[in-house]
Amino acid sequence: MNLHQVFLQVVLKKKGKKRKYFLGDFEEEDMESPSKARRILELANQQQNVKSATIKRLKRENFRLTKKVASLQSLLQDIQNKLLITESAKSILEVSIQGTPAELLLSRLKKPGSKQEYPAELRAFALTLHFYSSKAYDYVRKNFQTCLPHPSTLRKWYQSIDGSPGFTDAALSALKMKVSEATKLNKTVICALIVDEMSIKKHIDWNKDKFIGYVDFGTGLDDDQLPVATEAYTFMLNCVNGHWKIPIGYFLINGLTAQERANIIQECLKIVHETGIEVVTLTLDGTSTNLSTIQYLGGSINASNLVYSFKHPISDNDIHVILEPCHMIKLVRNTLASKGSIFDGQGRMIKWEYIESLHKFQQEEGLLAATKVRTRHIQWKREMKVKLATQVLSASVADALLYLEKDANLPEFRGCEATVEFIQCLCFNNLFDVMNSHNLLAKGLKGPMQSTNVEQILKFFAYAEVYIKNLRISSNGPLIIESNRKTGFLGFLTCIASVKSLYTFLIEQKSLKFLLTYKFSQDHLEMFFSAIRSRRGFNNNPTAKQFSAAYIRLLSRHQITSSINTNCLPLDKTNILNVTSAINHYILGINKFLHFNIVNEENAEESPIDLSQFRKLNIYIEDVVTYIAGFVVRKIKKSLSCKMCDFELTYDAKLSNLLIRKNRGGLIKPGGGVVHLCRVAEKTFRIFQSEDKLRNGHIMQILITHALKSMSSSTFYILNDHILNQEAIENHKALLIKSVLFEYFK
């Protein structure tokens, strides 16, 4: 080959400068010169050696990366050996890495600083691993050079907007709105976190685009090798200084260890903290798994070392543990009934036999001694409802026993004073009342903790603590709080310590006027479960699909009450916080080309209002409305996908003096059609406000309906032929108009 036809770049260094030569720069006679040809050959060999070394180095790097990714399976075994994940978690993670995880991790490792979007498979693996153990996730992330996303990114991925498993984004948005409202009033929103699981039927259903019923942590993992879910692990917030509650997420599980539960509870606290909500308590029932969960969180439910609180993972504030008093009273009843007798600190016998004798006496006489004790109360193993336990350990039963002993002089009731004291409490009846205070007008121990009764309650707490700590299984046996039946008694001691500390924090530091302990009760979540079961007839064991459907409907629309036959009955008027107004369904209709006829014409009045009779908006109001119209445009643009509709929002832009004066370069100039709609909306709102019609339950739908009847027909005329879904009754123009009205009225 002629050397003149070879185009080879050679770099020579001379006097610290780089000079470029080409073989074509040499004359032919230079090429034929042995010395010159030798020099050119040496330069070519040098460049080839450099390229060969580069190729070899890249091959070694690629081999190491491939080997490292291939060791992901062994890495899972390693973190299991380190007790960071369980065997069941490992099996689910092995399912999640099937497919192309090696290539995905390899691509991330080659570009460690890359901002490319994480693939769905990698997202599923990361979320699943982090759900089971944050420590294991940090360990894997460190070993793979942080190619996995940061935990703060995972918290955003956890949030769901459609009611599927995970933390519900709509609920968190509603919380932010509550915080914003409270901030304007210089107040803090204080909440109690309530956690419990609900049994669901092991069943697989097809839900639009995937199968639902498998274990699902909101991670996007979809595989039929996963185990079928048996429980819905649910989180709810109940406002301590307000009158609302809201479920914030759930996960479909098939058993979780205490460490895994502690991990997801900490993630929940972090996510809620980002909304501005201050969580002060964590309410759990008294299962052994939950007691171990508290230990992993930093508390301790132990007779020798009772630690009733743990630190918040971000704010470092104390989170007080509340072991559900309803569950504790059942455990106390079960202890007395199963053992037959226990002994108080004075060596007196407390006997279940007295309650059985009371029931037998009432049956024989055919009249009740002002109690609710029936056969179902005595045969307690058949039913585990809370009300049965509280009705047995109640003041009415204690009074009946004293009556039959002192007044009726019946020999079978002699010596029942210790049992009466145990029931009435000076122990558990009164203690349960204090832990379930819900009536502001109640007096004494049943009333809310406040300055007028705090001394009385604290004095009772001191007595109850001593009484419980001295109870024994037998006259010379071990203390109950050190026995295998200790949970109910330790639970009440934990509640006493937490409530005393909460009073100091909320009343004395946060300046609350009173403390209703029922705010911390698990009843709120139990009633939510009851409402889910009552969906389409009472179903005690719904499937995962039925649970998901009922969950989102309860969250967004309905206020379904619990059944009168449920485990818990409502004691206050705490409602589920509605989140429907936070979602603009009309924009969803535009983006998905679906028909969302949100406006219910049946709810509107028959005769339309006449805006022509309304006096003209003055210049000031028109300027303000134009300014607000810019905000409406910005709000809609954030989630609008249609380019033509997006163009129409700013077409024929209108200005106002206020908009010009306020603009620093970042304000949006709204289109003429948007300004017209906003002015119509303002007039409509003012008419309804003057006629005091804003109390209607369907006010948003009514306002939009009447505004539509009063708008100009030329509004958004560019979109007259823009119908992308021929089957839909409402085209993009109609949906965009309703979107603008919706955002303005909201």
Side-chain angles (χ1 to χ4, degrees):
M1 181 181 295
N2 194 331
L3 291 178
H4 284 286
Q5 297 176 355
V6 179
F7 187 79
L8 179 64
Q9 183 179 355
V10 181
V11 180
L12 296 176
K13 294 183 179 180
K14 186 176 181 181
K15 295 183 179 180
K17 296 182 180 180
K18 292 184 178 179
R19 184 178 179 186
K20 295 182 180 179
Y21 287 91
F22 298 93
L23 293 180
D25 293 339
F26 295 93
E27 298 294 337
E28 188 171 353
E29 56 272 14
D30 293 336
M31 297 290 187
E32 296 174 355
S33 173
S35 60
K36 295 292 185 180
R38 190 183 305 110
R39 181 57 178 165
I40 294 172
L41 181 60
E42 291 177 356
L43 294 174
N45 289 335
Q46 290 177 6
Q47 187 176 22
Q48 183 181 6
N49 293 335
V50 172
K51 297 295 183 182
S52 298
T54 302
I55 293 173
K56 186 176 181 180
R57 177 177 55 81
L58 292 176
K59 285 183 177 180
R60 286 199 303 268
E61 290 181 358
N62 185 66
F63 175 77
R64 285 196 296 267
L65 293 178
T66 304
K67 184 178 179 181
K68 188 172 187 178
V69 175
S71 65
L72 182 59
Q73 199 81 18
S74 60
L75 182 63
L76 292 179
Q77 184 63 46
D78 184 33
I79 59 178
Q80 184 194 1
N81 294 338
K82 294 179 181 294
L83 302 180
L84 297 178
I85 60 173
T86 61
E87 178 65 31
S88 60
K90 176 176 174 290
S91 61
I92 292 178
L93 287 167
E94 287 175 347
V95 173
S96 71
I97 63 174
Q98 291 179 358
T100 57
E103 291 79 359
L104 296 175
L105 288 175
L106 191 61
S107 63
R108 303 295 304 186
L109 285 167
K110 288 181 178 179
K111 300 177 180 179
S114 173
K115 295 183 179 181
Q116 59 179 317
E117 186 176 350
Y118 290 94
E121 296 87 347
L122 195 59
R123 286 164 59 106
F125 171 75
L127 286 168
T128 306
L129 178 61
H130 190 267
F131 178 90
Y132 276 115
S133 174
S134 58
K135 292 182 179 179
Y137 183 83
D138 294 338
Y139 178 75
V140 175
R141 189 168 184 264
K142 179 180 179 181
N143 277 271
F144 281 90
Q145 301 175 7
T146 67
C147 66
L148 295 177
H150 191 273
S152 61
T153 304
L154 297 185
R155 287 195 290 274
K156 297 178 181 178
W157 290 352
Y158 269 129
Q159 299 172 14
S160 167
I161 62 173
D162 57 359
S164 59
F167 291 110
T168 309
D169 188 63
L172 299 176
S173 298
L175 291 177
K176 292 179 181 178
M177 294 172 61
K178 279 292 183 181
V179 172
S180 178
E181 294 172 1
T183 303
K184 295 178 182 178
L185 301 175
N186 295 323
K187 294 183 179 179
T188 303
V189 181
I190 302 173
C191 288
L193 177 62
I194 307 169
V195 184
D196 197 9
E197 60 269 3
M198 172 183 167
S199 296
I200 60 175
K201 186 177 182 180
K202 295 180 67 174
H203 184 74
I204 305 299
D205 284 305
W206 176 255
N207 187 22
K208 294 182 180 180
D209 57 349
K210 70 173 185 178
F211 287 103
I212 183 172
Y214 295 107
V215 168
D216 192 343
F217 309 126
T219 61
L221 182 60
D222 185 14
D223 197 298
D224 57 8
Q225 297 183 43
L226 294 171
V228 181
T230 58
E231 295 173 319
Y233 194 47
T234 310
F235 295 79
M236 173 176 278
L237 285 179
N238 188 29
C239 187
V240 176
N241 56 345
H243 302 284
W244 54 265
K245 61 183 178 183
I246 183 170
I248 58 175
Y250 72 96
F251 302 89
L252 299 179
I253 65 173
N254 190 338
L256 286 178
T257 66
Q259 187 175 4
E260 292 162 354
R261 290 171 185 259
N263 181 63
I264 196 62
I265 288 173
Q266 286 185 327
E267 289 304 313
C268 178
L269 291 173
K270 293 175 184 177
I271 290 174
V272 172
H273 179 77
E274 293 175 356
T275 67
I277 298 289
E278 184 173 355
V279 177
V280 294
T281 63
L282 170 65
T283 302
L284 302 167
D285 56 28
T287 62
S288 58
T289 304
N290 283 336
L291 297 183
S292 299
T293 299
I294 295 170
Q295 188 170 357
Y296 279 109
L297 289 170
S300 176
I301 310 300
N302 191 289
S304 59
N305 181 29
L306 183 63
V307 181
Y308 56 86
S309 65
F310 60 93
K311 295 297 182 181
H312 192 285
I314 295 180
S315 65
D316 205 39
N317 293 333
D318 286 334
I319 305 295
H320 299 80
V321 175
I322 301 291
L323 289 179
E324 172 55 27
C326 293
H327 192 208
M328 298 303 106
I329 201 73
K330 285 196 296 184
L331 294 177
V332 170
R333 187 274 314 270
N334 295 350
T335 300
L336 177 60
S338 61
K339 294 293 184 182
S341 64
I342 56 179
F343 291 79
D344 63 12
Q346 302 176 30
R348 298 179 299 174
M349 184 180 293
I350 302 164
K351 297 195 295 184
W352 176 256
E353 181 184 350
Y354 289 123
I355 298 174
E356 292 178 330
S357 299
L358 171 64
H359 170 62
K360 181 180 179 181
F361 177 80
Q362 291 180 147
Q363 280 190 320
E364 291 175 350
E365 297 297 326
L367 292 174
L368 302 177
T371 71
K372 294 183 178 181
V373 175
R374 306 289 193 277
T375 302
R376 60 195 303 211
H377 294 81
I378 303 303
Q379 298 175 351
W380 55 274
K381 293 182 180 180
R382 295 185 178 183
E383 294 186 73
M384 297 298 291
K385 292 183 177 180
V386 172
K387 67 178 182 180
L388 299 183
T390 56
Q391 287 168 357
V392 167
L393 302 181
S394 64
S396 62
V397 172
D399 292 339
L401 292 177
L402 285 177
Y403 165 78
L404 294 174
E405 182 201 20
K406 302 292 184 184
D407 300 327
N409 294 319
L410 296 177
E412 60 265 36
F413 295 100
R414 290 175 184 170
C416 67
E417 289 84 358
T419 305
V420 170
E421 184 177 353
F422 176 85
I423 293 174
Q424 198 168 14
C425 204
L426 295 183
C427 202
F428 289 100
N429 176 72
N430 290 340
L431 186 56
F432 186 76
D433 287 340
V434 175
M435 296 302 169
N436 278 272
S437 60
H438 55 274
N439 188 351
L440 288 175
L441 301 179
K443 305 297 182 181
L445 297 179
K446 289 188 176 182
M449 288 188 69
Q450 51 188 334
S451 57
T452 56
N453 67 348
V454 64
E455 291 186 5
Q456 178 187 3
I457 292 177
L458 292 178
K459 184 178 180 180
F460 167 72
F461 277 167
Y463 180 90
E465 283 184 290
V466 174
Y467 184 90
I468 293 173
K469 290 179 180 179
N470 288 317
L471 289 173
R472 294 180 179 274
I473 293 293
S474 60
S475 58
N476 297 319
L479 296 173
I480 281 188
I481 58 174
E482 296 176 351
S483 70
N484 57 357
R485 294 302 183 96
K486 61 187 176 183
T487 304
F489 303 90
L490 283 177
F492 274 117
L493 292 178
T494 303
C495 291
I496 290 173
S498 293
V499 169
K500 288 195 296 184
S501 179
L502 283 168
Y503 180 84
T504 302
F505 177 71
L506 296 177
I507 305 300
E508 299 179 3
Q509 298 183 24
K510 291 294 183 179
S511 301
L512 268 66
K513 295 181 180 179
F514 53 84
L515 177 62
L516 291 170
T517 53
Y518 186 65
K519 291 288 186 179
F520 314 126
S521 174
Q522 209 173 42
D523 284 8
H524 303 285
L525 187 53
E526 289 289 348
M527 287 183 288
F528 180 74
F529 288 159
S530 176
I532 289 179
R533 294 186 183 104
S534 64
R535 169 84 173 153
R536 295 181 179 177
F538 200 81
N539 181 7
N540 193 46
N541 199 20
T543 65
K545 183 178 180 180
Q546 291 169 339
F547 182 94
S548 178
Y551 172 87
I552 192 62
R553 282 165 177 77
L554 285 170
L555 184 62
S556 60
R557 294 184 182 87
H558 307 294
Q559 292 294 338
I560 301 175
T561 58
S562 59
S563 168
I564 60 173
N565 296 318
T566 58
N567 191 30
C568 299
L569 298 177
L571 299 180
D572 62 5
K573 296 183 178 180
T574 303
N575 293 320
I576 299 175
L577 182 61
N578 193 294
V579 302
T580 303
S581 60
I583 303 174
N584 191 331
H585 293 275
Y586 305 109
I587 296 180
L588 296 178
I590 295 175
N591 295 340
K592 298 182 179 180
F593 309 113
L594 296 177
H595 173 220
F596 283 80
N597 189 11
I598 304 300
V599 177
N600 187 352
E601 302 291 347
E602 296 178 358
N603 294 328
E605 297 176 353
E606 292 294 328
S607 57
I609 60 175
D610 185 8
L611 291 184
S612 63
Q613 302 300 322
F614 188 81
R615 62 184 179 85
K616 184 179 179 181
L617 298 175
N618 59 40
I619 297 177
Y620 169 77
I621 295 177
E622 289 184 347
D623 282 352
V624 174
V625 170
T626 304
Y627 178 81
I628 296 175
F631 170 79
V632 171
V633 171
R634 183 188 298 276
K635 187 78 172 178
I636 295 176
K637 276 179 170 288
K638 287 182 178 180
S639 53
L640 189 63
S641 300
C642 179
K643 294 183 179 180
M644 186 171 291
C645 294
D646 185 87
F647 171 79
E648 181 60 44
L649 290 174
T650 54
Y651 176 74
D652 188 22
K654 301 295 183 181
L655 296 175
S656 67
N657 293 331
L658 179 64
L659 184 63
I660 295 173
R661 186 170 296 277
K662 293 282 290 184
N663 191 15
R664 298 294 184 271
L667 296 181
I668 292 179
K669 301 173 184 177
V674 178
V675 172
H676 168 70
L677 287 173
C678 290
R679 290 179 179 177
V680 171
E682 180 64 22
K683 291 180 181 179
T684 304
F685 187 87
R686 285 171 177 261
I687 289 178
F688 274 76
Q689 188 178 38
S690 64
E691 296 178 2
D692 196 24
K693 297 180 179 180
L694 294 178
R695 297 180 181 180
N696 192 293
H698 303 281
I699 187 60
M700 177 66 80
Q701 292 88 338
I702 294 175
L703 286 172
I704 293 177
T705 301
H706 285 291
L708 287 173
K709 295 177 180 179
S710 306
M711 55 170 277
S712 172
S713 59
S714 62
T715 305
F716 294 162
Y717 67 91
I718 293 179
L719 301 179
N720 285 344
D721 298 325
H722 181 50
I723 305 177
L724 297 184
N725 185 2
Q726 297 294 340
E727 297 180 358
I729 299 176
E730 293 181 336
N731 55 31
H732 279 206
K733 176 180 176 179
L735 291 171
L736 186 62
I737 289 173
K738 292 180 180 180
S739 297
V740 173
L741 294 174
F742 178 90
E743 291 297 339
Y744 190 90
F745 285 130
K746 188 176 72 174

